[in-house]
Amino acid sequence: MSHVADILGSLDLPPYDPTPLYLRLQEQIKTAIEAGKLKPLEALPGERDIAESFNVSRVTVRKAISGLVEQGLLTQRQGSGTFVAVPPQRVEQPLSRLTSFTEDMRLRGLEASVVWLGRTVSLASPQEAMRLSLSPSDTVARLRRLRFANKVPMAIECATVPTRFLPDPESVGASLYDVLEARGCLPVRALQRLHAANLNAEDAAMLEVASGAAALAIDRLSYLENGTPVEFTQSFYRGDAYDFVAELNLRRE
């Protein structure tokens, strides 16, 4: 903390600059982060300490920090404080290949990890029953996960699989597809629908971005070789970390 306090204490707010104080403070902290003086995961002093260092109000500090959180340069953890954010490594995901998140990260030399948000079995919802060609009395396993690459949160995924293919969701560890393959029901093709979305406060907090931040919302329906739907997944991917790439070929009639 003293290292960060020393850096912030050495920053200067020009007294005759007409720019609002909170923007000037914001720019000074941003410059220190971009110059590498403030390192990822370093904790900032409390609002009161920063306010005293710059002789400004705590409201000014709060507005400056809020702007940097929205820009993704700082992250706030409830009960822990404000930290310099870890910049996400941008990942390109080809749309022409069906792979699991774990495999995608492994191919890029990144370490995939997961925090489980829920693993349950219950009756299929009307939407799930329609997508997965189920009857109202059929049950499904639901897997809700927060996915990480090199310890940076990248996506929130909610996968739904009929229990005839996945009777026990607790059997899934790092990769759902590994379990499905072992059970002889690995999907071979999928249809994906992508659209832009803004994250609500709860999802944004898990992905360590500002509430309302841009995300890629993806609905994926995966099929077995015989055409049977096996997996319906709804996901939110960080808009600042993911690029989905499609290869297009010109076809002349």
Side-chain angles (χ1 to χ4, degrees):
M1 181 71 76
S2 60
H3 164 68
V4 176
D6 288 345
I7 291 174
L8 292 180
S10 69
L11 302 181
D12 182 39
L13 297 182
Y16 304 110
D17 190 332
T19 306
L21 267 175
Y22 80 94
L23 289 177
R24 288 153 59 190
L25 176 58
Q26 194 177 100
E27 187 60 29
Q28 290 287 329
I29 297 175
K30 179 179 179 180
T31 299
I33 293 172
E34 292 178 342
K37 295 179 180 179
L38 296 177
K39 308 295 184 183
L41 298 181
E42 284 192 322
L44 265 65
E47 288 181 0
R48 180 178 178 180
D49 293 332
I50 296 176
E52 290 178 354
S53 294
F54 289 97
N55 194 28
V56 297
S57 71
R58 293 180 66 174
V59 172
T60 295
V61 174
R62 192 171 302 125
K63 289 180 69 175
I65 289 176
S66 176
L68 293 170
V69 169
E70 289 180 4
Q71 295 174 44
L73 294 173
L74 297 178
T75 182
Q76 292 180 313
R77 302 173 190 168
Q78 189 170 4
S80 298
T82 303
F83 299 81
V84 179
V86 177
Q89 179 171 335
R90 293 198 71 88
V91 173
E92 285 193 357
Q93 170 64 52
L95 293 174
S96 58
R97 189 175 71 240
L98 177 60
T99 55
S100 69
F101 180 91
T102 303
E103 183 182 355
D104 285 339
M105 297 305 106
R106 186 165 53 234
L107 290 172
R108 290 165 175 77
L110 304 176
E111 180 186 358
S113 56
V114 62
V115 170
W116 285 101
L117 306 175
R119 282 182 276 191
T120 60
V121 171
S122 63
L123 290 173
S125 69
Q127 182 192 34
E128 291 166 341
M130 181 180 68
R131 294 295 185 91
L132 294 166
S133 301
L134 302 175
S135 71
S137 61
D138 286 332
T139 56
V140 295
R142 293 193 189 92
L143 309 165
R144 190 161 186 260
R145 297 172 286 182
L146 178 60
R147 312 300 298 261
F148 292 78
N150 283 1
K151 300 182 180 180
V152 177
M154 300 288 279
I156 300 169
E157 294 183 349
C158 184
T160 304
V161 180
T163 51
R164 70 176 183 270
F165 301 123
L166 183 66
D168 179 16
E170 295 287 342
S171 66
V172 179
S175 173
L176 168 61
Y177 279 19
D178 284 350
V179 175
L180 292 179
E181 184 175 20
R183 293 183 57 84
C185 48
L186 181 69
V188 297
R189 69 180 183 90
L191 297 176
Q192 287 196 142
R193 177 177 175 269
L194 290 76
H195 63 277
N198 295 103
L199 295 167
N200 61 33
E202 180 183 358
D203 290 343
M206 287 191 287
L207 291 173
E208 297 183 4
V209 295
S211 179
L216 289 168
I218 302 175
D219 292 351
R220 183 178 71 231
L221 185 58
S222 303
Y223 299 87
L224 300 178
E225 193 168 7
N226 64 6
T228 301
V230 66
E231 172 211 14
F232 175 52
T233 295
Q234 295 176 296
S235 308
F236 288 109
Y237 284 79
R238 284 178 60 157
D240 63 346
Y242 251 84
D243 291 321
F244 285 84
V245 180
E247 180 180 348
L248 305 177
N249 295 301
L250 179 62
R251 179 179 179 181
R252 296 186 183 276
E253 299 295 340

